[in-house]
C-alpha cells in the first residue's frame, strides 16, 4: 500500500506556524506514497488567476504532520531564519549565473531561428521570387524573361545573420521553492497534540489512516474529518468523522443534528471516541425508518 | 552538486534548455476538479488507469516552473524595516488597484507583492539576490496573519479589488445619495484628521510606520474631526438643526468646530423662542436669526441693527418690511355683518387677484359654507355625517365628579385620591380586572391597531440597527474587519475608492463565531449598507459566511 521509501525524507517547512511543502516531487510523493492529502494554497503557475486548482505550497494539517513525524517520513524544518544579506561573492555568483544563462539562451534562440528558416525555406524563396518579379514590372525596362534572371534565391541557413536576442527577451525563472542553499537545517519543534480534544482527534486520525483510508478536512460537512476509501480525486467520501469525548453527555438533539447532516449528503456519520483503554470506538449513524 | 561556497543549489533551478522549453506556455488547461467519481475501489483496471492519469497530470502541473521574460517582469526591492516593497518602475495593469506612492517612490504592501510574485508579474530583490516565493511566505507575512493572506489571494484571483480596511465611511447615506461626498474639499479634511476612534486604531495597528503614507480618501476614518466646510453662504440649514445637536453631531459627516456647534444650539433656541409680539403685531426682529454656516466661526447673537445692516442676511431681513399694524384681518367672531374698513390694499394681495371690492361679508353665508365643507369631510372620513352618528358610550359616562375641598394641600391630596377611587368610571366590565388573569389591553392603551398588536408581541423584536454604539468595554469583543472589497471596475480610482461592495472579517475555524453583541456593535458601527462577510479559514480551505438581519413585518389591519 504505502511504499516506505527511506531514500530521502520529505522536507516540510514550518513557516508562520504552518507546515508547508514546497517541492513538487515531495508533494507528489506525499500523496502517492503516504496517502496524505493536504491542501494546495498557492497560485498555479500555469493559470494563476483561478481558484479551481491551486498550486504549491502544499499545506498540511497538524494531524498529518504528527503522523508523518511518527512514521519518520518527513523532516520538519524551521524557516524563520529571515532573509540573509548575501556576501559579495554570492552576489557575483548570481550575476554570473544570469549572464551564463543569457548567453546560452542567445545560442538556443539562434538555433531555433535557423530551424524555422530551414523549415520555411520554400516559402521564403517563393516570396523572394515574387518580390523580384514585382520590381521587374516596376522597372518597365526591356522585357526580359524571368528564366534569364536565374538568380540564386536559395539561402544558406548558416550564413544568415541572426542578431542576438535583446536582454529583455531572455527568460528567467521566478523561484517558487527557494534555490538558495541553507547552511544548516534547523529542525522545528512540534508539540502538536496538546489539549485533550487535539489528542482525541489525532488518535482517531491515526487509527483511520492505519486502516488504509485517505482522510481530509471535514469542515465543509460540519465534521472533523472526511474519510475516503481511495484517493479523494477518484472517490467520494463515505464517512464524516466527528470526534466526541467518551464521557461527554449528548442530547437527543445532537444525535438528530448529526443524523440530518449525514443523510442530507448521503454519507455516514461516524462518532468517534477513545475509551479509557486508549481504544478508539466508532459508532455510525444512519437514518432509517420503521416500516 | 556544486561545492559549498555556492549559494545556489543548482539541482533546484532550471537549466537553460529547460527554461527555453518553458518559454511559451503551451498548455493552459487546468485539471478539472471533481468530475465523475466512482463509488468505491473495486480493483478494476479502469479505475487504476484513471487514477494513474490523475497522478500524472497533477505531477506535471505542480512541477511546472515560473518562467518569464525579463522584459515583462516588474522589479522591486524588499525593505524589511518598513515591510514594504519599493517598485523600481510600474508597468502593467496592477498599479491601478494596488500600491501607493510616498515621497515620489512607489510602494507595494507585502500581501500585494506576494500576490504579484505568485502571478508571475513581479520579481522582488533583496540586496542583490531575488527573493523566492518560499522565502517571501516567511518574510512578507510577518505582520500579517497567514489566513489574511490566503483570503486576500483567494479574492484577488477571482478578480476582486481587495484593499486594506480603511475604517468606516465618513459620508452619510444622504450625502452619498446626492453625491456630495465626492465634492467635499478633501484636502481640508485630510489636514484636520487627527483623532481616530478607538476601534479604528485597533484595526490599523498592525501597519507599518509608513502607513500614513496612504493618503486619505473619503472613506477614511474620521469620527470627531472638526471640519470647516466651505458651504455656500446662502444656504440655510435650519432643517438640520433639530437633528444635529450635541452628541449626534459626532456621527454626521460634517463635523463642525466646537464654536460652530455652540452657536448653532444658541440660534436654534432663539428661533424656538421666536415670539410674535402680539401687541405690535410684528415679529421681534432681533430673534429672527436664520443660521447660516459661514467661514466666520463666531456667529454670535447680533443686535437688530447689525442684522438689518448685514449684507449676507439681507434675504432674511426682507420679510420684516411688512407693517402688520396696517394689515387688517377679519374678525368673524363679532356678531352681525362684518364690515371692512377701507378694503384690503392691493399691495398685500398676491399677483393676479382682482382687487376686492366688497365691503360687506355675509357671515352667515361663510358659516354655512364652512359647515357644509366640514360635513363633506366627515362623510368622506367616517362614511356618514358626524351629527347623525351615534357617538354615545354604551354605558353612562356622565357622572358628576364631586368637587374636593380641603383646608391644606396635604388634605387635598388625600381627598383627591379618595374621590378618584369612588368616582372611578363604573365600567360594565369591571369584573375583568379583579381576577388574576386580566385583559391584555387597557382602554387607554387602545389608541390604534398598531399599539394593540404590539402588545401581542411578547418577545420584543431586537432592532439590529438600533444605534447601540459600543463603548470601550467591549473593545476586545469588536471583530477586526480586514479588507474592503470592490468589484472590478474600470472607473475604480485608488485615491478615492468610494463605498466598498463588501467587507471581510477573517477568523480561523478553531475560533468561536462572533457573539451577538459584537455583531450588533459592528453593524451599528458601520451604518452603511455594505454587506459584511466572515471568511472562515480551516487549514487552507476558505468559506464565507455572513449574518443578515431578518425582520418579520407586523400586520396591521386598517381600523
Amino acid at each position: 500500500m504505502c511504499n516506505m521509501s527511506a531514500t530521502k525524507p520529505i522536507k516540510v517547512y514550518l513557516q508562520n506556524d504552518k507546515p508547508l511543502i514546497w517541492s513538487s516531487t515531495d508533494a507528489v510523493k506525499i500523496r502517492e506514497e503516504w496517502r496524505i492529502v493536504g491542501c494546495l494554497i498557492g497560485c498555479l503557475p500555469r493559470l494563476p488567476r483561478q481558484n479551481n486548482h491551486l498550486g504549491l505550497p502544499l499545506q498540511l494539517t497538524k494531524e498529518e504532520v504528527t503522523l508523518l513525524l511518527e512514521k519518520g517520513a518527513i523532516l520538519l524544518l524551521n524557516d524563520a531564519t529571515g532573509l540573509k544579506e548575501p556576501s559579495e561573492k554570492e552576489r557575483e555568483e548570481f550575476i554570473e549565473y544570469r549572464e551564463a544563462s543569457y548567453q546560452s539562451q542567445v545560442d538556443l534562440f539562434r538555433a531555433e531561428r535557423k530551424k524555422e528558416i530551414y523549415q520555411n525555406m520554400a516559402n521564403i524563396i517563393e516570396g523572394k521570387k515574387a518580390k523580384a518579379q514585382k520590381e521587374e514590372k516596376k522597372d518597365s525596362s526591356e522585357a526580359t524573361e524571368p528564366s534569364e534572371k536565374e538568380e540564386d534565391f536559395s539561402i544558406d541557413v548558416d550564413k544568415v545573420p541572426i542578431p542576438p536576442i535583446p536582454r529583455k527577451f531572455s527568460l528567467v525563472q521566478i523561484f517558487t521553492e527557494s534555490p538558495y542553499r541553507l547552511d544548516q537545517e534547523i529542525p522545528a519543534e512540534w508539540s502538536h497534540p496538546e489539549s485533550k480534544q487535539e489528542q482525541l482527534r489525532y488518535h482517531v486520525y491515526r487509527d483511520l489512516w492505519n486502516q488504509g483510508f485517505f482522510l481530509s478536512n471535514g469542515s465543509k460537512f460540519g465534521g472533523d474529518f472526511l474519510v475516503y476509501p481511495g484517493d479523494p480525486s477518484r472517490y467520494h467520501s463515505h464517512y464524516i468523522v466527528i470526534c466526541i469525548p467518551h464521557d461527554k453527555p449528548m442530547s437527543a438533539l445532537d444525535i438528530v443534528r448529526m443524523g440530518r447532516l449525514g443523510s442530507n449528503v448521503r454519507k455516514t456519520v461516524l462518532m468517534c471516541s477513545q475509551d479509557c483503554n486508549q481504544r478508539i470506538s466508532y459508532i455510525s449513524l444512519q437514518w432509517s425508518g420503521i416500516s | 552538486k556544486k561545492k559549498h561556497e555556492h549559494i545556489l543549489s543548482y539541482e533546484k533551478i532550471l537549466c537553460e534548455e529547460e527554461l527555453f522549453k518553458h518559454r511559451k506556455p503551451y498548455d493552459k488547461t487546468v485539471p478539472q476538479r471533481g468530475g465523475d467519481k466512482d463509488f468505491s475501489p473495486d480493483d478494476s483496471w479502469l479505475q487504476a488507469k484513471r487514477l494513474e492519469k490523475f497522478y500524472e497530470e497533477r505531477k506535471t502541473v505542480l512541477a511546472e516552473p515560473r518562467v518569464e521574460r525579463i522584459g515583462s517582469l516588474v522589479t522591486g526591492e524588499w525593505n524589511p524595516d518598513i515591510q514594504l516593497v519599493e517598485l523600481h518602475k510600474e508597468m502593467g495593469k496592477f498599479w491601478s488597484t494596488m500600491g501607493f506612492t510616498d515621497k515620489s517612490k512607489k510602494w507595494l504592501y507585502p500581501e500585494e507583492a506576494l500576490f504579484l510574485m505568485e502571478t508571475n508579474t513581479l520579481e522582488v530583490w533583496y540586496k542583490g539576490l531575488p527573493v523566492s516565493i518560499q522565502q517571501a511566505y516567511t518574510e512578507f507575512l510577518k505582520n500579517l496573519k497567514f489566513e489574511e493572506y490566503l483570503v486576500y489571494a483567494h479574492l484577488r484571483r477571482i478578480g476582486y479589488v481587495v484593499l486594506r480596511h480603511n475604517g468606516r465611511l465618513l459620508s452619510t447615506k444622504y450625502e452619498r445619495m446626492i453625491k456630495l461626498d465626492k465634492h467635499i474639499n478633501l484636502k481640508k479634511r485630510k489636514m484636520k484628521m487627527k483623532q481616530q476612534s478607538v476601534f479604528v486604531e485597533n484595526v490599523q495597528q498592525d501597519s507599518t510606520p509608513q502607513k500614513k503614507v496612504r493618503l486619505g480618501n473619503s472613506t477614511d476614518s474620521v469620527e470627531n474631526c472638526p471640519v470647516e466646510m466651505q458651504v455656500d453662504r446662502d444656504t440655510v440649514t435650519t432643517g438640520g438643526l433639530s437633528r444635529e445637536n450635541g452628541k449626534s453631531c459626532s456621527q454626521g459627516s460634517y463635523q463642525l468646530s466646537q464654536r460652530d456647534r455652540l452657536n448653532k444650539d444658541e440660534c436654534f433656541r432663539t428661533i424656538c423662542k421666536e415670539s410674535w409680539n402680539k401687541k405690535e403685531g410684528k415679529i421681534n426682529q432681533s430673534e429672527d436669526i436664520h443660521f447660516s454656516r459661514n467661514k466666520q466661526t463666531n456667529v454670535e447673537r447680533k443686535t437688530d441693527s447689525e442684522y438689518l445692516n448685514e449684507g449676507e442676511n439681507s434675504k432674511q431681513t426682507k420679510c420684516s418690511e411688512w407693517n402688520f399694524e396696517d394689515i387688517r384681518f377679519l374678525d368673524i367672531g363679532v356678531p352681525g355683518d362684518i364690515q371692512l374698513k377701507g378694503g384690503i390694499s392691493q399691495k398685500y394681495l398676491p399677483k393676479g387677484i382682482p382687487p376686492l371690492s366688497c365691503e360687506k361679508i355675509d357671515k352667515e353665508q361663510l358659516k354655512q359654507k364652512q359647515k357644509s365643507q366640514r360635513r363633506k369631510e366627515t362623510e368622506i372620513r367616517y362614511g356618514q355625517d358626524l351629527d347623525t352618528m351615534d357617538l354615545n358610550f354604551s354605558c353612562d359616562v356622565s357622572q358628576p365628579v364631586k368637587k374636593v375641598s380641603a383646608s391644606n394641600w396635604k388634605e387635598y391630596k388625600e381627598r383627591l385620591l379618595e374621590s378618584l377611587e369612588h368616582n372611578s368610571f363604573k365600567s360594565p366590565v369591571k369584573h375583568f380586572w379583579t381576577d388574576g388573569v386580566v385583559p391584555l389591553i387597557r382602554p387607554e392603551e387602545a389608541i390604534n391597531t398598531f399599539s394593540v398588536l404590539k402588545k401581542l408581541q411578547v418577545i420584543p423584536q431586537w432592532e439590529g440597527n438600533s444605534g447601540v454604539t459600543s463603548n470601550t468595554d467591549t473593545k476586545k469583543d469588536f471583530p477586526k474587519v480586514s479588507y474592503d472589497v470592490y468589484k472590478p471596475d474600470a472607473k475604480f480610482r485608488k485615491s478615492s475608492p468610494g463605498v466598498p461592495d463588501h467587507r471581510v472579517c477573517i477568523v480561523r475555524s478553531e475560533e468561536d463565531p462572533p457573539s451577538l453583541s459584537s455583531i450588533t456593535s459592528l453593524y451599528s458601527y458601520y451604518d452603511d449598507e455594505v454587506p459584511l462577510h466572515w471568511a472562515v479559514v480551516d487549514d487552507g480551505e476558505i468559506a464565507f459566511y455572513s449574518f443578515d438581519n431578518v425582520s418579520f413585518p407586523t400586520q396591521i389591519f386598517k381600523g
Side-chain angles (χ1 to χ4, degrees):
Chain A
M1 210 174 356
C2 33
N3 190 3
M4 306 281 187
S5 51
T7 46
K8 217 169 59 170
I10 294 166
K11 288 188 188 158
V12 176
Y13 296 92
L14 196 62
Q15 300 176 248
N16 295 310
D17 294 327
K18 311 285 173 193
L20 303 173
I21 293 182
W22 290 92
S23 154
S24 64
T25 43
D26 287 347
V28 160
K29 197 162 145 189
I30 211 150
R31 184 151 178 155
E32 293 182 20
E33 290 181 19
W34 291 98
R35 271 188 290 121
I36 298 291
V37 178
C39 186
L40 292 166
I41 58 172
C43 297
L44 192 65
R46 180 185 277 204
L47 204 58
R49 286 176 198 259
Q50 43 85 28
N51 275 325
N52 294 328
H53 197 296
L54 298 178
L56 290 170
L58 181 73
Q59 182 178 353
L60 301 178
T61 65
K62 295 201 188 109
E63 288 84 22
E64 290 168 342
V65 171
T66 316
L67 180 80
L68 289 166
L69 281 173
E70 250 183 44
K71 305 284 179 191
I74 61 168
L75 256 184
L76 191 63
L77 301 171
N78 225 332
D79 201 43
T81 47
L83 281 177
K84 280 188 321 196
E85 177 154 358
S87 66
E88 192 56 45
K89 223 168 146 192
E90 288 165 345
R91 268 195 281 258
E92 275 175 20
E93 185 197 330
F94 191 78
I95 295 171
E96 272 175 37
Y97 156 74
R98 275 276 163 99
E99 185 61 38
S101 173
Y102 170 62
Q103 292 303 336
S104 5
Q105 281 179 44
V106 164
D107 293 330
L108 286 169
F109 270 104
R110 194 168 278 152
E112 203 205 328
R113 187 88 187 100
K114 282 189 187 161
K115 209 165 78 174
E116 270 181 21
I117 294 173
Y118 189 75
Q119 279 174 350
N120 297 330
M121 187 108 80
N123 293 341
I124 296 168
I125 292 176
E126 255 186 58
K128 281 198 175 176
K129 275 193 188 158
K131 202 171 168 190
Q133 280 180 359
K134 266 194 197 166
E135 280 178 18
E136 276 183 23
K137 283 186 184 161
K138 272 193 195 166
D139 286 341
S140 69
S141 54
E142 64 276 22
T144 46
E145 289 143 37
S147 56
E148 275 189 30
K149 293 233 170 164
E150 195 69 33
E151 279 182 39
D152 188 11
F153 286 114
S154 66
I155 306 159
D156 189 357
V157 181
D158 293 321
K159 289 191 186 154
V160 173
I162 302 170
I165 52 163
R167 250 184 219 272
K168 60 177 183 159
F169 287 139
S170 71
L171 302 160
V172 291
Q173 181 187 7
I174 301 176
F175 304 115
T176 309
E177 193 186 355
S178 170
Y180 306 115
R181 224 180 7 86
L182 289 168
D183 290 328
Q184 39 165 217
E185 294 173 338
I186 310 165
E189 297 207 354
W190 187 248
S191 60
H192 166 54
E194 282 175 319
S195 70
K196 278 231 144 94
Q197 185 66 14
E198 281 185 354
Q199 281 175 4
L200 172 63
R201 270 181 68 128
Y202 173 64
H203 288 138
V204 170
Y205 185 93
R206 183 178 54 187
D207 195 59
L208 286 167
W209 188 88
N210 282 333
Q211 295 184 34
F213 295 110
F214 278 73
L215 289 126
S216 81
N217 186 276
S219 57
K220 279 193 293 254
F221 289 94
D224 286 307
F225 307 113
L226 288 179
V227 182
Y228 299 83
D231 193 280
S233 65
R234 295 287 348 128
Y235 307 101
H236 289 293
S237 57
H238 286 178
Y239 305 109
I240 304 172
V241 166
I242 302 180
C243 300
I244 305 168
H246 199 65
D247 45 9
K248 178 176 171 194
M250 293 182 67
S251 70
L253 263 182
D254 294 326
I255 311 275
V256 170
R257 205 180 289 138
M258 291 192 280
R260 272 290 190 195
L261 170 69
S263 65
N264 276 346
V265 293
R266 294 211 200 110
K267 297 185 202 295
T268 309
V269 172
L270 269 187
M271 301 195 290
C272 310
S273 51
Q274 191 171 30
D275 59 17
C276 34
N277 299 330
Q278 303 297 313
R279 262 190 346 170
I280 314 280
S281 60
Y282 300 97
I283 301 176
S284 65
L285 216 52
Q286 262 187 333
W287 193 269
S288 71
I290 300 176
S291 56
Chain B
K1 258 192 170 176
K2 306 266 175 157
K3 289 182 208 150
H4 283 294
E5 301 98 53
H6 290 258
I7 186 74
L8 293 170
S9 354
Y10 287 95
E11 73 272 14
K12 288 187 183 171
I13 310 178
L14 294 179
C15 63
E16 299 79 38
E17 287 85 15
E18 288 175 332
L19 268 180
F20 192 69
K21 208 166 62 164
H22 286 105
R23 71 189 178 285
K24 267 182 266 177
Y26 49 86
D27 191 359
K28 285 247 180 194
T29 59
V30 173
Q32 60 162 208
R33 201 172 171 139
D36 59 340
K37 295 187 182 176
D38 300 313
F39 179 69
S40 75
D42 55 4
D43 289 326
S44 72
W45 173 86
L46 188 62
Q47 279 190 3
K49 194 78 189 137
R50 283 208 189 116
L51 189 64
E52 196 190 316
K53 180 170 173 254
F54 168 74
Y55 280 152
E56 279 298 317
E57 241 187 318
R58 184 165 182 265
K59 191 173 177 180
T60 326
V61 163
L62 287 184
E64 248 179 35
R66 296 182 144 96
V67 176
E68 275 293 326
R69 293 192 296 195
I70 288 185
S72 40
L73 276 179
V74 187
T75 51
E77 177 81 23
W78 170 246
N79 188 330
D81 304 316
I82 51 174
Q83 296 273 302
L84 294 170
V85 169
E86 184 189 339
L87 271 186
H88 295 150
K89 70 166 168 116
E90 74 174 79
M91 216 172 65
K93 292 185 256 178
F94 67 86
W95 186 250
S96 59
T97 55
M98 286 190 208
F100 58 94
T101 313
D102 174 49
K103 295 175 193 153
S104 70
K105 284 190 192 170
K106 297 190 156 81
W107 300 93
L108 283 174
Y109 282 118
E111 69 268 15
E112 297 169 342
L114 186 50
F115 179 70
L116 288 174
M117 282 168 76
E118 286 204 279
T119 52
N120 312 334
T121 319
L122 172 72
E123 196 184 29
V124 178
W125 291 75
Y126 180 68
K127 306 241 163 99
L129 289 183
V131 179
S132 64
I133 295 181
Q134 180 178 356
Q135 290 168 304
Y137 260 72
T138 314
E139 277 304 306
F140 292 16
L141 302 182
K142 280 211 167 122
N143 285 342
L144 211 65
K145 276 201 289 185
F146 195 77
E147 290 80 17
E148 286 181 341
Y149 175 68
L150 287 187
V151 173
Y152 178 87
H154 177 93
L155 290 170
R156 274 278 183 190
R157 267 181 239 130
I158 47 185
Y160 283 106
V161 174
V162 184
L163 300 177
R164 287 190 178 182
H165 179 59
N166 221 343
R168 65 192 245 181
L169 291 183
L170 282 182
S171 48
T172 62
K173 196 168 157 184
Y174 176 66
E175 285 156 22
R176 287 194 288 277
M177 198 165 75
I178 60 173
K179 301 213 198 317
L180 193 59
D181 55 339
K182 299 204 169 74
H183 290 283
I184 291 307
N185 199 344
L186 282 177
K187 271 193 192 145
K188 281 226 163 176
R189 202 181 273 189
K190 277 178 221 161
M191 288 198 301
K192 301 279 170 103
M193 263 194 289
K194 270 160 201 169
Q195 290 179 9
Q196 283 200 8
S197 80
V198 175
F199 304 113
V200 177
E201 272 165 25
N202 198 7
V203 167
Q204 310 282 25
Q205 48 90 22
D206 62 337
S207 298
T208 67
Q210 290 226 326
K211 184 216 91 73
K212 52 181 172 288
V213 147
R214 189 87 193 274
L215 293 181
N217 47 39
S218 64
T219 65
D220 269 342
S221 50
V222 177
E223 286 245 281
N224 301 316
C225 96
V227 162
E228 277 177 2
M229 256 205 17
Q230 296 186 15
V231 182
D232 200 7
R233 275 183 192 179
D234 284 335
T235 57
V236 177
T237 50
T238 45
L241 277 177
S242 50
R243 264 194 312 118
E244 291 165 16
N245 220 334
K247 230 197 300 178
S248 58
C249 257
S250 60
Q251 295 223 341
S253 100
Y254 301 138
Q255 310 302 335
L256 304 175
S257 66
Q258 207 53 27
R259 286 170 297 178
D260 270 349
R261 218 183 292 165
L262 281 176
N263 286 321
K264 254 201 335 181
D265 290 348
E266 215 175 14
C267 296
F268 178 57
R269 266 180 256 124
T270 54
I271 290 181
C272 287
K273 283 189 268 172
E274 194 174 277
S275 54
W276 189 296
N277 197 323
K278 286 206 174 117
K279 279 188 203 163
E280 297 167 2
K282 64 179 176 184
I283 299 172
N284 203 336
Q285 285 178 17
S286 64
E287 292 172 351
D288 180 19
I289 300 169
H290 284 260
F291 180 77
S292 63
R293 296 189 216 177
N294 48 26
K295 249 185 168 172
Q296 299 164 275
T297 51
N298 253 320
V299 181
E300 286 167 350
R301 259 194 81 164
K302 296 182 183 171
T303 59
D304 305 350
S305 50
E306 278 181 39
Y307 264 101
L308 279 176
N309 297 333
E310 204 173 314
E312 58 230 335
N313 279 342
S314 55
K315 252 199 227 169
Q316 283 80 48
T317 53
K318 270 184 195 155
C319 51
S320 46
E321 272 177 23
W322 293 66
N323 186 5
F324 291 95
E325 277 174 3
D326 296 337
I327 303 174
R328 289 282 159 203
F329 291 94
L330 300 174
D331 183 9
I332 310 182
V334 170
D337 291 334
I338 301 166
Q339 288 241 331
L340 209 57
K341 268 198 247 173
I344 298 175
S345 163
Q346 187 60 38
K347 72 171 181 182
Y348 295 121
L349 291 172
K351 288 188 204 154
I353 306 281
L356 291 180
S357 56
C358 65
E359 289 185 352
K360 225 165 51 163
I361 293 172
D362 191 355
K363 206 168 57 159
E364 281 304 312
Q365 207 188 36
L366 248 171
K367 264 195 191 162
Q368 286 296 332
K369 231 194 205 170
Q370 284 175 350
K371 207 172 178 184
S372 64
Q373 236 176 359
R374 252 183 272 135
R375 195 169 273 171
K376 267 196 208 140
E377 277 175 26
T378 55
E379 262 191 59
I380 293 168
R381 216 165 173 215
Y382 297 105
Q384 49 179 194
D385 192 14
L386 263 176
D387 294 339
T388 54
M389 279 204 290
D390 180 15
L391 296 173
N392 294 320
F393 283 99
S394 51
C395 50
D396 190 12
V397 292
S398 58
Q399 284 180 11
V401 177
K402 226 167 106 184
K403 198 172 176 187
V404 171
S405 62
S407 49
N408 61 18
W409 197 233
K410 187 179 169 188
E411 216 182 301
Y412 177 74
K413 277 195 208 172
E414 287 168 6
R415 287 204 191 158
L416 193 65
L417 266 175
E418 281 174 30
S419 77
L420 274 177
E421 283 168 15
H422 289 307
N423 293 339
S424 58
F425 173 57
K426 293 242 172 11
S427 149
V429 291
K430 205 171 174 187
H431 56 277
F432 281 171
W433 303 91
T434 50
D435 210 4
V437 181
V438 297
L440 185 63
I441 302 164
R442 307 183 80 88
E444 52 264 23
E445 288 166 349
I447 310 163
N448 51 26
T449 319
F450 177 65
S451 56
V452 171
L453 285 175
K454 205 166 172 190
K455 279 285 215 172
L456 288 173
Q457 223 172 23
V458 175
I459 303 168
Q461 212 169 41
W462 167 70
E463 294 297 318
N465 306 331
S466 56
V468 171
T469 45
S470 37
N471 45 20
T472 43
D473 295 335
T474 55
K475 185 178 165 184
K476 289 173 207 162
D477 207 16
F478 202 80
K480 176 187 168 199
V481 175
S482 298
Y483 297 119
D484 291 339
V485 180
Y486 300 82
K487 282 204 266 244
D489 188 7
K491 288 185 239 159
F492 177 80
R493 297 280 167 266
K494 259 188 312 191
S495 48
S496 61
V499 183
D501 294 301
H502 306 275
R503 289 201 181 97
V504 179
C505 287
I506 298 170
V507 287
R508 281 193 289 246
S509 60
E510 299 95 49
E511 294 170 18
D512 292 329
S515 64
L516 187 62
S517 62
S518 55
I519 297 176
T520 49
S521 49
L522 257 187
Y523 275 112
S524 58
Y525 182 74
Y526 297 104
D527 54 358
D528 44 33
E529 275 142 19
V530 175
L532 183 60
H533 302 271
W534 267 263
V536 180
V537 185
D538 185 10
D539 282 327
E541 309 255 351
I542 306 173
F544 290 92
Y545 299 95
S546 70
F547 297 95
D548 284 327
N549 215 359
V550 174
S551 63
F552 298 100
T554 359
Q555 269 196 312
I556 301 177
F557 300 94
K558 193 171 176 189

